[in-house]
Amino acid sequence: MALLDVKDLGISFGGLKAVEHVNLSIEKGELFGLIGPNGAGKTTIFNLLTGVYQPTCGTILLNGNKLEGKSPAQICRSGVARTFQNIRLFKKMTVLENVMVAFHNQVTYSLLDGMLHTKRYRAAEEEVRKQAAKILEVFHLSEEKDVLAVNLPYGKQRKLEIARALATNPQLLLLDEPAAGMNPNETKELMDTIQLVRKQYGITILLIEHDMKLVSGICEKLLVLNFGTELASGIPEEVLKNPEVVTAYLGE
Amino acid sequence: MESVIEQIINGLRTGSIYALIALGYTMVYGIAKMINFAHGDIIMVGAYSLYVFISLLHIPVILSILLSILVCALLGITMEKVAYKPLRNAPPLAVLITAIGMSFLLQSLALLIFKANPIPFKSIIKLAPVKIGSITIAGISIITFLVTTLIMIFLTLFIRYTKAGRAMRAVSEDRQAAELMGIDVNRTISMVFAIGSALGAVAGILYVCQYQTLQPTLGALPGIKAFVAAVFGGIGSVPGAMLGGILLGVIESISKAYISSELADAIVFSVLVLVLLLKPSGLLGKNRIEKV
Amino acid sequence: MIEKIREKMTGRNRKLMMIGVMIVGYIACVFLAEGNLLNRQMKSLIVPLGINIILAVSLNITTGFLGELSLGHAGFMAIGAYTGAIFTKYVTWLSPFPAFLIAILLGGVMAAIFGVLIGMPVLRLKGDYLAIVTLAFGEIIRSVINAMDVTGGAKGLSKIPTYTTYTWVYLVIIVTIVVARRLLHSRQGRAIVSIRENTIAAEAMGVQVTRYKILAFAIAAFFAGMAGVLYAHNFSILKPDTFDYNKSIDILVFVVLGGMGSIKGSVIAATVLTILPEVLRSADDLRKLLYALALIVIMVYKSGNGKEMISRLLKKKEAV
């Protein structure tokens, strides 16, 4: 069974069909690329998968469990985490705190524990701190752990977004243009980190990108979107040879 | 039966005033995406200006009315320039707090100048009541209906058919795009504040003619209620503000007469809560989706 | 030097010092209050000052931590005040100490229950709408109290036993501050702050936004309710009009002036703004004017544009 199984997904905003008839099947451990020109509906698909929008039709199954109809928080708990194209960090919280928020559902002490600073509270907080620090280390953010997120340089903000998403302990990680605005060196480094994370944590990744070269280099499978519908899907070599894809990207 | 009809007429009269105030809220919200909390106090300023021009300076009535409207329009523009414009890209919380500060500022200035004691003011409307069958309609009611109806017709035509009206609609739809199309956004926003405040002045004049006393806080409650009306009708929608205002006036008047005069305010505010829960976009408002 | 000491102090030491500070603070307060250091006017200010601190710190939980403007805080205070007062007025067979303790808790709990009841449907809203609905609820609470018999209606409630002492006020202040501080360092508190920082991201990280908004409102209402009970048993008279919209704004001014999110700031602002008008012996009118100006100036200045504008103005003058 595929980890994520999307069938006939669609949504329309007041008559405008933003996404239509999208099918997606991602196996456990895969690095899957979602590509397409601007406005093709890539981010809309992320919003559908994470419960920000509710689909008008279609089904989304994660390990055979329905995701549609659930709230973003519930979806996060069932194992899907995401980053945002337009960075959405908790700006006035420190880097460490940003990651700690993501552990929200992995610690369970009660409000009263927190008020009385019980043993349970202290043990859980220490554990969270340790775990969070570990994740920051992977992304080379340890030195900045006490810096406010808003004061991080742009590239590191992007990394922090991924670190934070990873901290929710997801099975499936959705990355929305993680390399946007980065220079080639930074991009290369980021892609290496993503590969590393994937191996280390054994997670499945769905990646949005509109730079085809970049995506075809690291993804095992691709889905190309255009005008909200599926244009082609499969392994990169085949997809990129597809004449329709070439037309969509380069024009007639 | 007669008493019900009279209550409805009373409600229509207060409702018309709410509608005038609600127009100011709704237009400003539409274009500046903020609740101008001080809008209620513009009404107070309008009422006091009229009092100063007529009772203290003995200026002829018509001229006094025009001057009062001018004072409020200028006040609206100044307020926007000084307090709101610097905050255009600030978080909504900051803007709201500033607007509350503005409201308090106007009230406390009035308090310092005119003191807290109510000042009696004789209505400038001297129209005899009209009797239709067994129902009497007060002169003030007739004038209020007439003035509000005319204003609403003119405003609708203005927004729909003039160049300035088109600019206003464009800016409220998409400020950046409007700017790129060569619309002077700052001037358009100023104009909306001026028009909204001028309408507030008219509301203030009608209000003071109805209650015949002046107090620094006189604008606060009708201001908040008119805001409820604006939300009721769908904030950002001009016909919505008119409909919301009139409906709210009638609801209030009926509750006062038949349920409890003490609970009338509570009922009015419950309307707001219910509307926001059941149909947050209001009766005639549009739904908006936040972009992620 | 101070930094070094602070570094050396770890967990337990620091806690001990905090307790020390609390005790010293208490003794200082008692000295000020009971000794002949203060005149009668100043003495009569101590309890209202304490109540204002509790109100400011509690409102900071909704406005500072959660980032939602609540314009009905006085309404929660009213619920606490009336609940507590009615309790002590009718349960006369209990001796003062247990009666007042129960009254304080009851007032807090009742306010918190209303916080949740109001919060559940309303907190799906945000920003401007949420603010205006809290205002509406504050006014609804006030007019319902005004229309009820058990509350004495518009005439109010009088002859409430005067149980409020400096010690009680001090205790409630300490509890409020400790809870607010510890909240910030708990997973619940982090969830609340993350909603303020970015609601969509918070949800995506698994934070149930509505639940934590309600939690913040309930905690804030709880302490506002307790402050209400202290208020009722200090002045012995309650009138619905005390708890109007203006009172809510007064509390908001403390929070904004002290810096949203800063507990220390709230305490300082509440203290200064309670004492200053009395010291200056200025009329109430002037106080309102200053509050209004403070709100506007702080907000305009804090936004980058404001700073820019001021520096541009200064430059212009230099150029001339």
Side-chain angles (χ1 to χ4, degrees), chain C residues 210-254:
Chain C
T210 311
R211 178 191 293 186
Y212 285 99
K213 275 189 178 178
I214 291 174
L215 180 70
F217 260 76
I219 297 173
F222 178 73
F223 289 110
M226 299 221 288
V229 181
L230 294 173
Y231 176 90
H233 294 81
N234 184 48
F235 291 103
S236 163
I237 301 168
L238 278 184
K239 280 200 169 153
D241 284 346
T242 315
F243 306 102
D244 64 358
Y245 162 67
N246 286 311
K247 178 72 191 171
S248 297
I249 300 291
D250 281 355
I251 309 168
L252 180 69
V253 175
F254 300 148

Side-chain angles (χ1 to χ4, degrees), chain C residues 21-319:
Chain C
V21 168
M22 284 179 207
I23 293 170
V24 171
Y26 177 66
I27 292 170
C29 282
V30 172
F31 250 108
L32 279 174
E34 304 296 336
N36 281 325
L37 295 163
L38 294 177
N39 59 23
R40 181 180 289 176
Q41 183 208 5
M42 278 303 169
K43 257 188 201 172
S44 71
L45 267 184
I46 292 180
V47 170
L49 166 63
I51 292 170
N52 281 343
I53 290 177
I54 299 164
L55 289 170
V57 172
S58 61
L59 182 64
N60 210 341
I61 294 173
T62 29
T63 300
F65 298 0
L66 178 66
E68 291 290 1
L69 198 52
S70 166
L71 301 176
H73 211 53
F76 295 128
M77 185 189 175
I79 288 172
Y82 275 95
T83 308
I86 290 167
F87 179 81
T88 50
K89 258 182 82 107
Y90 289 95
V91 187
T92 43
W93 42 268
L94 262 176
S95 54
F97 178 78
F100 195 40
L101 182 64
I102 295 173
I104 290 178
L105 292 174
L106 203 62
V109 168
M110 194 63 109
I113 289 174
F114 270 84
V116 173
L117 285 181
I118 292 169
M120 276 199 297
V122 160
L123 290 179
R124 280 186 297 151
L125 308 167
K126 57 186 173 182
D128 296 354
Y129 281 119
L130 186 94
I132 216 88
V133 170
T134 54
L135 189 162
F137 264 115
E139 292 297 302
I140 292 174
I141 288 169
R142 193 172 58 90
S143 36
V144 169
I145 289 175
N146 214 343
M148 284 201 318
D149 286 332
V150 67
T151 57
K155 275 191 309 223
L157 214 56
S158 56
K159 295 197 186 113
I160 303 162
T162 49
Y163 289 154
T164 304
T165 60
Y166 302 133
T167 313
W168 278 113
V169 177
Y170 194 79
L171 276 176
V172 180
I173 292 177
I174 295 294
V175 173
T176 314
I177 293 176
V178 168
V179 166
R181 280 186 62 105
R182 292 195 164 180
L183 184 65
L184 271 186
H185 295 109
S186 70
R187 78 182 188 104
Q188 288 85 359
R190 278 195 298 268
I192 290 171
V193 177
S194 75
I195 294 171
R196 173 192 77 194
E197 288 299 309
N198 197 317
T199 310
I200 288 172
E203 254 187 320
M205 295 304 123
V207 173
Q208 303 99 314
V209 169
T210 311
R211 178 191 293 186
Y212 285 99
K213 275 189 178 178
I214 291 174
L215 180 70
F217 260 76
I219 297 173
F222 178 73
F223 289 110
M226 299 221 288
V229 181
L230 294 173
Y231 176 90
H233 294 81
N234 184 48
F235 291 103
S236 163
I237 301 168
L238 278 184
K239 280 200 169 153
D241 284 346
T242 315
F243 306 102
D244 64 358
Y245 162 67
N246 286 311
K247 178 72 191 171
S248 297
I249 300 291
D250 281 355
I251 309 168
L252 180 69
V253 175
F254 300 148
V255 174
V256 173
L257 223 62
M260 279 182 275
S262 157
I263 298 168
K264 216 185 282 166
S266 288
V267 174
I268 294 170
T271 309
V272 172
L273 289 184
T274 312
I275 295 175
L276 202 63
E278 296 291 330
V279 174
L280 297 175
R281 293 179 179 275
S282 58
D284 203 44
D285 315 358
L286 210 58
R287 179 186 67 104
K288 218 174 154 184
L289 182 73
L290 290 175
Y291 278 18
L293 281 174
L295 283 182
I296 300 170
V297 171
I298 288 175
M299 283 301 130
V300 172
Y301 184 73
K302 261 180 100 178
S303 77
N305 295 347
K307 277 179 209 164
E308 223 172 82
M309 230 170 59
I310 289 165
S311 62
R312 220 186 304 147
L313 274 177
L314 290 176
K315 261 183 210 155
K316 245 185 219 164
K317 270 183 195 155
E318 276 166 27

Side-chain angles (χ1 to χ4, degrees), chain A residues 200-217:
Chain A
Q200 206 169 337
Y201 290 82
I203 54 171
T204 313
I205 295 177
L206 175 60
L207 182 89
I208 289 183
E209 203 30 89
H210 59 227
D211 182 348
M212 287 238 275
K213 241 188 219 152
L214 192 145
V215 168
S216 54

Side-chain angles (χ1 to χ4, degrees), chain B residues 243-261:
Chain B
L243 182 67
I246 286 166
L247 282 179
L248 198 75
V250 174
I251 291 173
E252 183 183 39
S253 157
I254 299 279
S255 340
K256 248 185 202 152
Y258 300 104
I259 300 175
S260 151
S261 59

